[in-house]
Amino acid sequence: MPLLLSQSLLGGNDDINQYLTEHDYQFPVINDTEGMHIQWGALAYPAIYVVDQTGQIRYVTSGVTTTWGLRARLWLATNL
């Protein structure tokens, strides 16, 4: 399953887990508290990275995205 790295304004891990539960998102998320987003070149909030099973960044989205858009990126990273 792909990994989602979130440069988040949602707060701490408890806040993110609550948000994921409320929206029925079922994928791993890293809350970037160490500045990985700088290394990856994120310039806007929120920044969403979909990383495939081999560790390659497959999709990058800055700004708001829809649930369908996010699920489509995760599906593509898993199946293509």
Side-chain angles (χ1 to χ4, degrees), residues 28-67:
V29 173
I30 295 174
N31 183 19
D32 180 17
T33 59
E34 302 296 322
M36 285 173 77
H37 67 279
I38 295 169
Q39 296 174 5
W40 289 11
L43 302 174
Y45 285 98
I48 299 168
Y49 296 84
V50 178
V51 181
D52 69 14
Q53 296 91 334
T54 67
Q56 299 298 310
I57 298 171
R58 296 290 302 270
Y59 300 97
V60 177
T61 299
S62 293
V64 177
T65 188
T66 65
T67 299

